Amino acid sequence: MSEWTPETWLIASARNRTEGEPLNVPPVFASNFYLPHERLYSRTDGTATTDALEELLGGLESAKALVFGSGMAAAATVFHGLNVDSEIAVPEDPYHGVAGIVEEGEAQGRWRVRRLDQADTNAWIDAVASCDLVWLETPENPLMTVADLPAICGAPRGGNTLVAVDSTFATPLNQKPLDLGADVVMHSATKFIGGHSDLLSGCVLTRNEELLEEYAARRLRNGATIGAMEAFLTLRGARTLSLRLERAQANAMELAQRLESNPGVNRVLYPGLTSHPTHEVAKTFMSGFGAMLSFETTGDGDRATDVCNRVELINHATSLGGVETTMERRSVIPGQERIPPTLIRLSVGCENVDDLWADFSQALA
Ligand SMILES: *Cc1c(COP(=O)(O)O)cnc(C)c1O
């Protein structure tokens, strides 16, 4: 990145500052281009729109970015680079799509898997010393457990260990895993980066040119390319990431505190609260605690469902990272049965916090 701060970079980068050119790189709807030119075909060579998005995202983490049609396309690109008979370490409850990739490869005998408690830093340090891929997701869905990235990413490597971090919940603004020693960062740009719940998009970031080439080659072979409109909308959404995140995480902190003292709530999980098991770790390297939190209602799963059905302003919906607040029970997602039945995950948006709280108050009453 240039000498600009990330807030300015988000707004000022990736523009073609030439007389007569539009301020914003438009969506280029093209599969092919007139020759002779270095750009032949957009699946292999991208477009001006994808170039701009990659410039913006890469610059935020002083890396090269590759954008994909979704976060899962980006994640799969990392896993599918492993050789047969690899050993990998993943969190006990990674994002369910990632869990699916891990389980399929395990069933095919493609790799052996260590499933580690995100808070067990020593187990991760061991994995860095001996596994081929160490895949972290932090803060982790839905208990918001924060991995000790400085200790894990900086731990001595055994041979060719690749350390990758799904940094979706933190966004490029709240943590910089590459600065801490990770090799690869992945984001689902569907979430906070896009920020409006209107697209699917993902990216991989790395400073390793060899990996970058390998991932780019796999992306074009698999056709995991992003569409022109989605690339444009991701770029447009990203311009306001820092404004949205600032408001959303201030709201999240306020709601976490208010929920914690509400008699209808048993427990609140937000890395910004001193009561969170990994608050102290998070404080050491995160520049903000994000806009994701979970809480457990009193009573049983039916009561939690009831609360989800009673909200009027807050949206009872899955996914996260939009300007609008959403919430859902996670234990009802297939494969997530280990999650407490009364747990509700909240993606806090940019509404006025008092309006959000009024909605909670009536739904929890
Ligand atoms: C949503 C999400 C993904 C998958 O991204 P898609 O854009 O939905 O494919 C991966 N990891 C995390 C943490 C996510 O929230």
Side-chain angles (χ1 to χ4, degrees), residues 152-237:
I152 299 166
C153 298
R157 304 286 173 91
N160 293 326
T161 308
L162 198 69
V163 178
V165 179
D166 179 343
S167 201
T168 300
F169 279 24
T171 83
L173 298 180
N174 279 342
Q175 69 192 13
K176 306 240 186 278
L178 298 174
D179 285 349
L180 301 171
D183 303 286
V184 181
V185 166
M186 172 243 141
H187 292 281
S188 167
T190 307
K191 314 296 169 54
F192 293 97
I193 294 172
H196 295 78
S197 310
D198 54 6
L199 57 86
L200 291 170
S201 169
C203 71
V204 161
L205 300 156
T206 183
R207 296 173 186 169
N208 179 325
E209 288 290 338
E210 229 173 282
L211 272 181
L212 188 84
E213 270 175 39
E214 177 196 320
Y215 293 162
R218 189 165 305 113
R219 177 179 64 175
L220 78 85
R221 280 200 303 273
N222 291 350
T225 327
I226 192 169
M229 196 64 190
E230 284 72 14
F232 173 77
L233 286 173
T234 308
L235 188 59
R236 181 181 161 126

Side-chain angles (χ1 to χ4, degrees), residues 26 139 150 190 204 215 224 232 243 278 292 294 296 320 331 346:
T190 307
V204 161
Y215 293 162
F232 173 77
L243 292 166
T278 56
M292 296 299 299
S294 291
E296 286 184 57
L320 57 120
S331 60
L346 189 64

